[in-house]
Amino acid sequence: MRITELLTQSTIAMDLSANDKDGVIEELGNQLNHAGKLNDVKAFKEAIHNREAQSTTGIGEGIAIPHAKVAAVDSPAIAFGKSKKGIDYQSLDMQPAHLFFMIAAPEGGAQTHLDALAKLSGILMDEHVRAQLLDAKSPEEVLQIIDKADDEATEDEEAEQQASATTNASSTEETDKDEPYILAVTACPTGIAHTYMARDALKKQAEKMDVKIKVETNGSGGIKNHLTDEDIARATGIIVAADVHVDTDRFDGKNVVEVPVADGIKRPETLINMAQDRSRKPFVAKGDSQSSYTESNEKQSVGKTIYKHLMNGVSNMLPLVIAGGIIMALVFIIGPNSFDPKSSEHNAFAEQLWNIGKNSAFLLIIPVLAGYIARSIADKPGFAAGLVGGMLAANGDSGFIGGILAGFLAGYLTQGIKKLASYLPQALEGLKPTLIYPVFSVLISGLLMIYVVNPPASWLNNTLLNGLDSLFGSNIMLLGLVIGAMMAIDMGGPFNKAAYVFATAALTEGNAAPITAAMIGGMVPPMAIATAMLIFKKKFTKEQRGSILPNYVMGLSFITEGAIPFAAADPLRVIPSMMVGSGVAGAIALGLGSTIQAPHGGIFVIIGTNINHLDHILSALIAIVIGSIVSAIIYGVLKPKVTDNELDASKSMNE
C-alpha cells in the first residue's frame, strides 16, 4: 500500500491555525472526521491525548506524529498539517514542531496499512523531505513530495532485501571477522511510529559511518527482519532501543546496548559506537527475558541507575501528591477545622474531602513511591514488597526517606530472591511468581524495615523533640530558624513531625510562636519549587513546570508534601535549599512578631485568626515571600540545566 492511499487531499489541513499541542490535536482530529475517517471523533481525540500522556509524540527534528489505534477509526488514514512558526509540542529535543502527521489506525487493521505507516516514519527522517514539505504550497504538492519519497523508499527497501539475501547466502566463515556488523532491535508501545523512526535513524547513521547493520522491528504488525542465530553469532554488538519488552536472552554473551526507543532516534551515532566497542562487559541473560542491567550495560554510573529507579517511583507518586493536595486545599477554603467532627466548624462534605485527600491519597504517597522504585528494579515481583515496605515506612515515622530506602531494599532483595530461586527444580517454576517471590520478598523486606530502618527514625524523633525543648523560651528567632528548617528536611518524615508535634504541644499551652514558625516554614518548600520553575524555566522539563500552580496552591494551604517529588528526585540540592528558605521564613516571622493561633490551614488561618491584626498577617506574608525567594534562588542556582537523563525519565516514566 502506498502512503498516499492513506494521506489524501481531504485529510490535509496545510497551514495550521493552532498555537499549542491541544490545538494541533483538535484541528487534525477534525480534519480526519470531516474526511469521513472516524466514527467517534471525541473518542479518537481522547485516545490521542492518552497516547500523549504516556510520552510525547514530538520526536524532534521539527516533527510530531500523534497517533492512536482505536475502534473510533472507520478506515486507516493520515492527516497532515504544518506550521512555519513552529508549535511547542513538548518534543524530545525541546524544539518547536513544524510538521504534523496524525495517524488514525483502526483496531485490528490490515498489515498493509501498517507497512505504509512504517514507511512514512522512515521517510520523515530525511531532512530534504522535511524541508520540501515545510515549503509546500498546496495539498497536491504535499502528495507529490510523499509519492516521490515513497518510490525511493521502496527502491531502497528492495535493494536492502536483495543485499541481505546475498549476505545470508554467504557463509559466516567468509566474513571478515574484523569488520563491524551491528544488529538492532527497535520497539515502542504502539509499534507505529517510533519503532520505525529509530530503525531508519540507525540505518542512515550506519550508512554514514560505513558500518553494516541489520535492524529488527517489533511493531504493530509483529516482528519484521528477524535476527537469526547466524546474525547474532556474527554481530560485533547489538542495540536494543525499546520501551517495551523484547526477547534479550538470545543475546547472552554479546555486547548489548539497551536504551529507550527515543535514543535510537536522537543519538544513533553514540549507540553504534558503543555497539562497536569490543571492550564492554558482555550481556548476561537471566533466563526470564529480563535484561541484566539498564541503559545498555554501558558503564552506567551507580548514581544514574539509582536516578532511573527513583524517578520511576517519583513519577507514579506525583499524581497522588497533586490530587490529594488540591483536595485538602478545598477543605481549608470551607474552613480550617471543617473536616473535624469535634469542631464547631464541622462540615460533612469537607470531612469526606479530607478523607479522600489526606486519609486516602496522601496515605498512598510513600507506599506508591516505594512500590514503583522496587518494580523498576525487579519488575512485577518487586512491587508487592515495595508497597508493604513503603507502608511500614509511613507508619514507622521514617517518611519519604524511609520510603525510598524501602523501595530500593525491596527491589534488590527481590532480585536476590529471583537469583536464588533460579536454582530450584523446574517443577517449582510455576510457584515462583505467585508464591515464592511475593512471600519471601514481602516477609524479609518487611522485617528489615521494622527492625533495621524504622528504629533509628524513632530514636531520631525523640532526640529532635528533646533538642527543641532546650530551645524553648530562649532566642525567639533561633527557635523560628530551627523549627522552620526542620519542617523542610523531610516534608512529612520524622524531622518534620518532631517540629510539628512540638509546635502543636506548645500551642495547647498557650504559646503560638512554635506553630507560627512551623506553619510558615512548612509553606515555603512547595512555593519555592514553583517560584524556581518560574525564574529558572529552562532548568526544568515541561512536565515539571506543569506542577507550578498546584505547588503554589499546596504551599498556601500548608501542604509541604507538594515538594516531595522534587526532593526525592534531587535531595542533595532540594533539601538544603528548602531548609535555608524555611528557616529564614520561620526566623523572620517570629522576629516580626507574627502569630498564628491554629495548627493547620496555611493562608486561610493566617488571615482568619488575625483578621483584626493586619500587622501579623503582613509579617507572615513577608516571611513566606522572602523564604520562598531565598530557597528558589538557591535551588535554581544549584540545579544544572535539564539533562538528557531527566528528559528520558520525563518522557518514559509512564510508558
Side-chain angles (χ1 to χ4, degrees):
M1 175 179 281
R2 297 187 64 80
I3 296 172
T4 48
E5 293 180 50
L6 302 177
L7 176 66
T8 61
Q9 287 194 33
S10 64
T11 62
I12 295 177
M14 291 305 292
D15 297 310
L16 299 175
S17 61
N19 294 313
D20 56 21
K21 175 188 279 195
D22 290 345
V24 171
I25 294 172
E26 183 73 16
E27 203 165 337
L28 292 183
N30 289 339
Q31 189 75 27
L32 288 169
N33 189 49
H34 294 153
K37 304 299 181 180
L38 309 176
N39 58 61
D40 188 339
V41 65
K42 182 179 179 181
F44 175 72
K45 291 175 185 176
E46 183 178 349
I48 291 287
H49 281 292
N50 289 339
R51 174 62 186 87
E52 293 296 327
Q54 293 179 1
S55 66
T56 180
T57 57
I59 53 139
E61 304 294 343
I63 307 168
I65 309 182
H67 53 273
K69 188 176 181 182
V70 64
V73 177
D74 268 339
S75 57
I78 302 171
F80 169 76
K82 63 188 179 75
S83 170
K84 277 275 190 179
K85 65 179 181 179
I87 295 171
D88 180 5
Y89 207 84
Q90 302 171 17
S91 299
L92 296 177
D93 58 2
M94 304 291 285
Q95 298 301 312
H98 298 274
L99 301 174
F100 304 89
F101 288 85
M102 179 174 281
I103 298 173
E107 287 184 342
Q111 178 58 40
T112 50
H113 86 261
L114 294 175
D115 290 340
L117 298 178
K119 195 186 299 182
L120 171 65
S121 300
I123 285 172
L124 294 178
M125 296 308 295
D126 189 326
E127 60 182 329
H128 299 296
V129 173
R130 297 198 300 268
Q132 290 174 347
L133 288 171
L134 192 58
D135 291 335
K137 300 296 189 295
S138 66
E140 292 82 4
E141 190 175 351
V142 169
L143 295 176
Q144 289 173 2
I145 294 167
I146 294 295
D147 259 334
K148 181 180 178 182
D150 195 340
D151 289 337
E152 294 173 353
T154 301
E155 292 173 3
D156 291 343
E157 187 175 331
E158 291 173 351
E160 182 182 357
Q161 290 174 350
Q162 184 176 359
S164 177
T166 302
T167 301
N168 290 335
S170 63
S171 66
T172 302
E173 289 77 9
E174 293 174 351
T175 303
D176 184 352
K177 293 183 179 180
D178 292 328
E179 183 181 24
Y181 180 50
I182 306 302
L183 304 179
V185 182
T186 62
C188 65
T190 57
I192 292 178
H194 290 65
T195 298
Y196 303 102
M197 300 193 81
R199 174 200 65 184
D200 286 278
L202 289 166
K203 286 168 59 178
K204 289 180 183 298
Q205 186 60 45
E207 184 178 355
K208 290 180 183 178
M209 298 169 67
D210 196 25
V211 173
K212 290 185 178 180
I213 190 169
K214 178 177 179 179
V215 184
E216 172 186 297
T217 55
N218 287 220
S220 295
I223 296 175
K224 292 295 183 66
N225 210 26
H226 180 71
L227 304 180
T228 66
D229 291 342
E230 291 77 12
D231 289 325
I232 296 169
R234 288 177 51 205
T236 308
I238 302 167
I239 300 167
V240 179
D243 289 337
V244 294
H245 169 74
V246 297
D247 177 17
T248 54
D249 281 353
R250 52 188 165 152
F251 305 141
D252 187 43
K254 304 298 290 188
N255 170 21
V256 179
V257 180
E258 289 185 87
V259 293
V261 68
D263 281 16
I265 301 171
K266 290 193 302 178
R267 53 189 194 113
E269 183 177 4
T270 300
L271 302 185
I272 292 172
N273 284 332
M274 290 169 61
Q276 294 183 82
D277 183 357
R278 300 174 189 264
S279 66
R280 296 176 71 251
K281 182 180 177 182
F283 173 85
V284 179
K286 289 189 170 183
D288 59 358
S289 292
Q290 298 294 327
S291 63
S292 60
Y293 28 77
T294 63
E295 196 170 346
S296 75
N297 166 35
E298 59 181 303
K299 293 181 180 178
Q300 190 174 5
S301 68
V302 173
K304 193 172 184 181
T305 301
I306 290 174
Y307 180 83
K308 175 187 174 183
H309 299 318
L310 182 59
M311 279 304 299
N312 195 281
V314 170
S315 64
N316 285 284
M317 171 187 73
L318 184 59
L320 292 169
V321 174
I322 293 176
I326 297 297
I327 291 170
M328 289 168 64
L330 294 176
V331 174
F332 294 136
I333 293 175
I334 296 172
N337 296 294
S338 58
F339 65 89
D340 186 357
K342 298 178 182 179
S343 171
S344 59
E345 297 179 0
H346 177 249
N347 178 290
F349 182 65
E351 182 182 358
Q352 296 310 318
L353 290 179
W354 190 260
N355 286 332
I356 294 170
K358 176 67 174 179
N359 299 332
S360 297
F362 266 35
L363 193 66
L364 289 170
I365 287 174
I366 294 175
V368 166
L369 170 67
Y372 277 95
I373 290 174
R375 178 168 181 161
S376 179
I377 296 168
D379 204 41
K380 291 181 181 179
F383 191 51
L387 287 175
V388 173
M391 184 62 75
L392 290 170
N395 293 335
D397 286 341
S398 54
F400 84 85
I401 294 176
I404 292 172
L405 294 175
F408 283 100
L409 172 65
Y412 287 114
L413 176 66
T414 303
Q415 286 288 69
I417 291 171
K418 289 166 69 176
K419 180 67 174 178
L420 292 174
S422 66
Y423 297 104
L424 293 176
Q426 186 67 28
L428 299 176
E429 192 68 26
L431 294 177
K432 290 180 181 179
T434 57
L435 179 65
I436 296 173
Y437 295 158
V439 170
F440 283 96
S441 62
V442 169
L443 176 63
I444 297 173
S445 61
L447 290 172
L448 288 173
M449 285 300 298
I450 292 171
Y451 291 109
V452 177
V453 176
N454 285 337
S458 298
W459 170 85
L460 190 58
N461 246 335
N462 293 327
T463 302
L464 292 171
L465 283 170
N466 293 333
L468 285 173
D469 279 330
S470 67
L471 285 175
F472 192 84
S474 62
N475 188 305
I476 194 70
M477 291 188 69
L478 178 59
L479 180 66
L481 177 70
V482 173
I483 291 180
M486 287 179 65
M487 293 297 293
I489 294 178
D490 50 2
M491 306 170 199
F495 285 86
N496 176 287
K497 287 182 178 177
Y500 187 72
V501 168
F502 172 80
T504 52
L507 182 63
T508 62
E509 298 296 326
N511 190 325
I515 197 64
T516 301
M519 188 176 297
I520 288 177
M523 293 170 69
V524 165
M527 298 184 67
I529 292 292
T531 304
M533 287 189 283
L534 287 176
I535 298 174
F536 302 93
K537 183 177 180 180
K538 293 184 178 179
K539 291 192 173 185
F540 297 87
T541 66
K542 184 79 171 180
E543 288 75 13
Q544 289 171 328
R545 297 197 302 273
S547 68
I548 290 176
L549 180 58
N551 267 295
Y552 274 126
V553 173
M554 284 187 274
L556 289 171
S557 304
F558 185 36
I559 301 171
T560 315
E561 288 87 345
I564 285 180
F566 294 86
D570 192 8
L572 296 181
R573 294 187 181 91
V574 173
I575 292 176
S577 304
M578 299 305 112
M579 287 177 63
V580 173
S582 291
V584 167
I588 291 175
L590 297 192
L592 293 178
S594 181
T595 301
I596 300 173
Q597 298 289 343
H600 48 68
I603 192 66
F604 306 103
V605 300
I606 291 175
I607 295 175
T609 62
N610 290 287
I611 195 66
N612 296 318
H613 300 279
L614 297 181
D615 56 329
H616 288 189
I617 297 175
L618 181 60
S619 60
L621 293 177
I622 290 173
I624 293 168
V625 170
I626 293 176
S628 299
I629 292 175
V630 167
S631 284
I633 291 175
I634 294 174
Y635 177 41
V637 170
L638 292 177
K639 189 183 187 304
K641 292 182 179 179
V642 176
T643 64
D644 288 341
N645 196 33
E646 286 180 300
L647 287 173
D648 290 341
S650 173
K651 166 190 70 67
S652 64
M653 59 189 180
N654 287 319
E655 289 196 357

